[in-house]
Amino acid sequence: MPRLSRGPVLLLLVALPWLSHADDAPLFVPQWLGAQYTFVDQHQSRVRSPYSGPLSLDPRGSTARSHTFGAYFGIQLPVHLQFYLDVEMFKGEGVSQGTGLGGLSNGDIIRSGVASLGKGPYVARSYLRWTLPLGGQTTHLDRQQDQLPGEQADRRIEVKAGLMAVNDDFDKNRYANATRTQFMNWSLWNNTAWDFASDTRGYTDGVMIAWVMPRWSLRYGIYRMPDEANGQRLIESLGESSGQQLELTLQPHPDGWALRLLGFYNKGNMGIYQQAITIAEYTGQTPDIHADDAPGRHKFGVGINGELPVADNGDTGFFMRAGWNDGHTESFIFTEVDRLLSGGFQLSGAHWNRSDDRLGVGVAIDGLSRIHSEYLAMGGDGFLLGDGALRYGPEQIAEVYYSIAVIHHLTLSPDLQFIRNPGYNRDRGPARFAGLRAHVEF
């Protein structure tokens, strides 16, 4: 599936003088839907480290800053079609070069510290969205990122095709979904056991089909996979390599509890941990999962995701996630987690007369399959983990943040994280992280 990048960029440049900011969406007129800038300054403490490898947390501690910029556009087309174009830019890096953890501490670093990506602007999303109304009842939508203003049918068929982020449509959660405004640790804003298809920055080409009803929805997506672990180049043929997911969402009331059941199946050029170990034992060398990569390998997993509003018009509530993947084939795309259990709550600042402020507290436990941990214990490296050895223990994460609404468009969020057994290694840590996040959104 070809990327829709060069043509839409040219179209946008031609149309810039006529960009509309109206509350409706006239046909063919490009709409500016929003822009954002996020700055994160994060410090990692010194880490007890009797030994270390090429992908370990820096035992001396680390301080890093990251910057993300984004501008978002949409065009209303005939016959219920819409087109969206997002342009982003990333600068900076994560602490310890964004390695050494399953649940990385800064969700905005997009693994750039691992893959040495360029620092210039890039097209993040470029896709068409088509809806088929199935009834007359509608809900009004306000202008926001990747959402044109107007009326949307409550019963509909929805199709998206093009360049997008898989987690825009799957594994969403009201209280733990946005690293730029909520939790920053990867294992709290996403299901890290879900190895969803994407390039290094987190985007891929694909198709998503949804059947949406007032009390439930069913979504299916198929997307292009990278050609190597944490790779930027995507494989062209979906028959050769693809990431597929199916998710059922149950939500009897629009502002009430929600439960999401997710399953995924990946096919790609992945290695198998047991084979890498067997080869290493035969040759007397360190196991190398990357040398075992071969086409047609499979990985599958499941996830559950829940949210429960309890007060303050839903601004106070609880969340939880659990995830599992087979753990036999290589952790390939998102991060190196085979098991996940996470949960926590968000509390509205209305209780201390700061109704736009938010306090978030979350905990997560990441785990590896037996064969994955054995591979690391023998000195093998993944794309985020590699201490040279391993005395396995689940990675235990706690995070607390406080989001301060300084003015209407600006929030500041002090953030603290504590991680026991970083990189699943009982010989290392604990690690502590202190950060400050500034987020501007229009």
Side-chain angles (χ1 to χ4, degrees), residues 67-82:
H67 310 258
T68 57
F69 308 81
Y72 310 103
F73 305 90
I75 302 175
Q76 183 70 55
L77 301 171
V79 294
H80 305 292
L81 273 172
Q82 297 174 337

Side-chain angles (χ1 to χ4, degrees), residues 60 88 101 133 178 246 279 284 328 373 379 400:
R60 300 165 298 179
E88 295 184 344
L101 295 167
L246 182 70
I279 293 170
H328 296 296
S373 64
V400 57

Side-chain angles (χ1 to χ4, degrees), residues 144-398:
Q144 64 181 34
Q145 178 184 339
D146 299 327
Q147 180 176 289
L148 284 163
E151 299 297 317
Q152 176 173 265
D154 294 342
R155 294 175 170 84
R156 64 187 184 277
I157 300 294
E158 179 177 334
V159 180
K160 292 170 63 174
L163 175 65
M164 63 190 102
V166 180
N167 57 344
D168 285 347
D169 297 295
F170 297 88
D171 192 45
K172 297 173 72 67
N173 191 290
R174 180 172 186 168
Y175 304 110
N177 194 72
T179 186
R180 292 168 182 167
T181 56
Q182 298 173 325
F183 293 98
M184 288 172 52
N185 191 284
W186 288 28
S187 290
L188 287 169
W189 60 263
N190 229 144
N191 185 339
T192 39
W194 171 39
D195 208 18
F196 60 85
S198 76
D199 61 17
T200 309
R201 289 189 172 104
Y203 304 102
T204 184
D205 299 304
V207 176
M208 189 282 298
I209 303 171
W211 182 11
V212 181
M213 301 297 283
R215 295 176 177 268
W216 58 269
S217 63
L218 185 65
R219 285 178 167 81
Y220 166 78
I222 181 169
Y223 305 88
R224 291 171 60 190
M225 292 274 286
D227 64 341
E228 62 179 349
N230 195 35
Q232 183 66 11
R233 191 181 75 85
L234 301 173
I235 294 177
E236 293 286 341
S237 170
L238 289 176
E240 177 184 347
S241 179
S242 66
Q244 301 181 62
Q245 32 273 310
L246 182 70
E247 184 179 66
L248 173 66
T249 298
L250 304 175
Q251 190 170 19
H253 303 286
D255 295 321
W257 63 267
L259 185 67
R260 300 174 180 88
L261 306 173
L262 172 72
F264 77 92
Y265 176 83
N266 291 346
K267 178 182 176 183
N269 296 337
M270 296 177 281
I272 297 176
Y273 290 113
Q274 183 59 66
Q275 290 191 189
I277 290 172
T278 300
I279 293 170
E281 292 174 338
Y282 180 77
T283 61
Q285 298 178 342
T286 301
D288 183 3
I289 192 69
H290 314 294
D292 184 55
D293 287 351
R297 301 282 178 71
H298 305 272
K299 190 180 192 74
F300 62 92
V302 294
I304 184 170
N305 172 336
E307 61 188 59
L308 179 63
V310 293
D312 308 315
N313 295 316
D315 290 337
T316 294
F318 295 88
F319 72 93
M320 63 78 62
R321 281 188 176 94
W324 175 93
N325 68 57
D326 62 82
H328 296 296
T329 45
E330 177 181 10
S331 291
F332 202 67
I333 308 161
F334 186 35
T335 187
E336 297 198 50
V337 176
D338 301 322
R339 315 284 187 259
L340 169 72
L341 180 63
S342 68
F345 66 88
Q346 174 183 286
L347 180 63
S348 170
H351 297 273
W352 49 92
N353 299 317
R354 296 280 302 175
S355 60
D356 292 328
D357 289 6
R358 301 288 183 268
L359 171 68
V361 178
V363 294
I365 301 175
D366 293 334
L368 297 179
S369 66
R370 179 194 60 80
I371 199 66
H372 192 169
S373 64
E374 183 179 339
Y375 168 81
L376 293 172
M378 294 176 65
D381 293 339
F383 65 89
L384 291 177
L385 301 179
D387 288 339
L390 182 74
R391 190 163 68 96
Y392 176 74
E395 189 176 80
Q396 301 167 25
I397 301 166

